[in-house]
Amino acid sequence: MSPLVVGLALFAAILHASWNAFLRTGADRLWTVTVMSFSSTALAIPLAVFNGFPATSALPYVGLSACLQVGYSVFLVAAYRYGELGQVYPIVRGSVPLLVTLGGLLLAGQQLTVLETVGVALVGSGIMGLSLGRGRAATTSILYALATGAIIAAYATVDAIGVRAAGNVGAYTAWVLLAYGVLLPATFVASRGRLAFDPRAPETWKALGGGLFSLLAYGVVVTAFALGPAGPITAIRETSVVFAAFIGRLLLGETLTPRRVGACAVVVLGAICLGYQP
């Protein structure tokens, strides 16, 4: 890989960890993630106008993906309510390839390679390191984080099928984002009764900034995929777990013990083993 591709993958990892930090610092995290969605909705409108509608056969996948992403947002908010960035984020990121691999093994009868077997063991060990012993994450936080990882794996699978049925990547992406941009605020209103925000308030701009970081992270990694091999790029992107641990320490004042750093590193190595495709 060229230095440019490596740099893009690392930049995407930093951006992904950073928007989670934006969310973690929000005074009302459900409100924060809802306002963050306004950024993606703003992008989706011109994208939808330019690309038009996806094929009719893809519409169920559009709706299901949007619903799953709303669930992802709600469960991630719940996980951060009970746990720190440096604890929750590695469990969420590490559990996705772990659950996908185990799902393929148990449901589809797929055989694990030696590398995947090592990856399962490493991710499992790293999550246990974050979940057990002194200073561990709260049980509630761990359960929400694992549920979040399962939802991510689910909507990634739905998108992989839906985008093929749509016949147009831009149209599919735009309408998923638009549906998400309607459903998440509706979920907030249903649970809180009213969505109020002041366009001049610093908290509003911080949330919108977090949304832009999320969009930029997606755009940067897509660019990297266009310029280099997917396997190594996916592996490098998993370093976001380590960045999250240090962002949590430097910006949020979270505890960064050698045990936590080691557990994060083990999760990263395991995720690389699970996600790497030579």
Side-chain angles (χ1 to χ4, degrees):
M1 288 191 300
S2 69
L4 173 62
V5 173
V6 173
L8 287 172
L10 287 172
F11 187 40
I14 293 171
L15 288 170
H16 198 279
S18 297
W19 80 252
N20 273 260
F22 275 100
L23 176 58
R24 178 65 180 81
T25 57
D28 181 341
R29 297 184 187 97
L30 183 59
W31 179 90
T32 298
V33 77
T34 302
V35 175
M36 284 174 64
S37 73
F38 295 170
S39 297
S40 60
T41 303
L43 173 68
I45 293 172
L47 193 62
V49 171
F50 180 78
N51 288 281
F53 287 97
T56 304
S57 59
L59 294 181
Y61 298 102
V62 169
L64 181 56
S65 177
C67 289
L68 286 169
Q69 291 191 46
V70 170
Y72 156 61
S73 300
V74 171
F75 275 82
L76 184 61
V77 164
Y80 282 135
R81 185 182 303 129
Y82 301 103
E84 296 181 345
L85 176 70
Q87 293 174 316
V88 171
Y89 188 83
I91 295 174
V92 172
R93 292 293 299 175
S95 65
V96 176
L98 177 63
L99 292 170
V100 168
T101 303
L102 293 178
L105 174 66
L106 298 174
L107 302 178
Q110 297 176 356
Q111 298 298 313
L112 297 185
T113 65
V114 173
L115 192 62
E116 287 172 335
T117 302
V118 171
V120 168
L122 287 174
V123 171
S125 299
I127 290 176
M128 287 179 65
L130 293 165
S131 308
L132 302 174
R134 186 177 181 182
R136 70 179 183 87
T139 302
T140 304
S141 177
I142 296 167
L143 293 175
Y144 276 122
L146 290 173
T148 303
I151 294 172
I152 294 172
Y155 81 66
T157 302
V158 169
D159 285 345
I161 301 170
V163 75
R164 293 186 181 92
N168 184 318
V169 176
Y172 180 83
T173 302
W175 285 97
V176 169
L177 290 176
L178 284 174
Y180 172 75
V182 171
L183 291 174
L184 185 58
T187 300
F188 184 95
V189 170
S191 62
R192 301 286 182 83
R194 180 170 175 262
L195 175 59
F197 66 96
D198 181 356
R200 299 166 297 179
E203 192 73 15
T204 300
W205 285 102
K206 185 173 73 171
L208 291 172
L212 289 175
F213 268 53
S214 176
L215 286 171
L216 185 57
Y218 177 74
V220 168
V221 79
V222 168
T223 303
F225 282 141
L227 298 175
I233 290 169
T234 300
I236 292 173
R237 192 174 54 168
E238 296 302 338
T239 58
S240 62
V241 168
V242 176
F243 290 125
F246 283 100
I247 289 172
R249 175 68 184 93
L250 296 174
L251 300 182
L252 307 181
E254 297 179 357
T255 303
L256 189 60
T257 62
R259 177 193 179 98
R260 184 178 294 186
V261 173
C264 289
V266 170
V267 170
V268 170
L269 289 174
I272 288 173
C273 292
L274 290 171
Y276 183 76
Q277 298 293 330

